[in-house]
């Protein structure tokens, strides 16, 4: 049994902190990654590193930490830096494809392994980042065992 991650957008940390109570971000004016909400095994740290190193070219040791919003015995909510979400809005197909290929070759990490699946995932994130930007929301992740 592992940890599950649920990515969502919310207008602020106070709203994001209330999401675990109902498990429905849309009830609080938020948005979710993926159709009907994506429950993922991909850590937010991995997603941050993928975008910032694979697309932005930032060295791994310079990837900013996640911000803890809520720590509860049963779950946690973390905020992803906008520097992780924003770059996806402006990249083209070539950059997404190259990043997907690079990510698919990284050894010893969880998540999808083939480049096409990673490419689809990055496109979902790209759409998500556009919706967050249009709504003026931040990206958060609900983490629970």
């Amino acid at each position: 049994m592992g940890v599950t991650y649920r990515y969502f957008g919310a207008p602020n940390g106070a709203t994001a902190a209330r999401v675990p109570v109902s498990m429905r971000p849309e009830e609080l004016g938020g948005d979710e990654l993926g159709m009907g909400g994506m429950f993922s095994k991909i850590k937010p740290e991995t997603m941050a590193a993928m975008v910032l190193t694979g697309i932005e070219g930032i060295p791994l040791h310079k990837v900013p930490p996640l911000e803890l919003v809520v720590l509860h015995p049963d779950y946690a909510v973390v905020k992803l830096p906008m520097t992780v979400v924003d770059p996806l809005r402006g990249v083209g197909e070539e950059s997404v494809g190259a990043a997907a290929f690079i990510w698919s070759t990284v050894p010893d990490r969880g998540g999808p392994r083939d480049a096409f699946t990673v490419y689809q995932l990055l496109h979902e994130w790209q759409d998500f980042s556009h919706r967050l930007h249009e709504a003026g929301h931040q990206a958060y992740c609900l983490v629970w065992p």
Side-chain angles (χ1 to χ4, degrees), residues 45-47 49-51 53-55 60 98-115 118:
E45 297 90 342
T46 301
M47 196 63 214
M50 176 55 214
V51 170
T53 59
I55 293 176
L60 195 55
F101 176 75
I102 292 165
W103 194 7
S104 71
T105 64
V106 174
D108 298 327
R109 57 146 187 83
R113 300 220 182 271
D114 69 280
V118 176

Side-chain angles (χ1 to χ4, degrees), residues 12-13 44 64-70 76-81 138-141:
N12 53 50
L66 304 173
E67 180 184 321
L68 183 64
V69 176
V70 169
V77 175
V78 295
K79 177 181 172 188
L80 281 77
Q138 302 283 314
Y140 296 90
C141 183

Side-chain angles (χ1 to χ4, degrees), residues 47 51 55-56 83-92 96 122-127 129-130:
M47 196 63 214
V51 170
I55 293 176
E56 290 289 284
T83 54
V84 172
V85 181
D86 284 346
L88 286 167
R89 288 197 334 269
V91 298
V96 172
L122 286 174
H123 266 291
E124 285 185 47
W125 268 91
Q126 197 170 35
D127 292 343
S129 68
H130 281 287

Side-chain angles (χ1 to χ4, degrees), residues 33-49:
L33 174 65
M35 295 297 293
M38 174 184 256
F39 294 88
S40 173
K41 295 293 182 190
I42 301 170
K43 295 181 202 177
E45 297 90 342
T46 301
M47 196 63 214

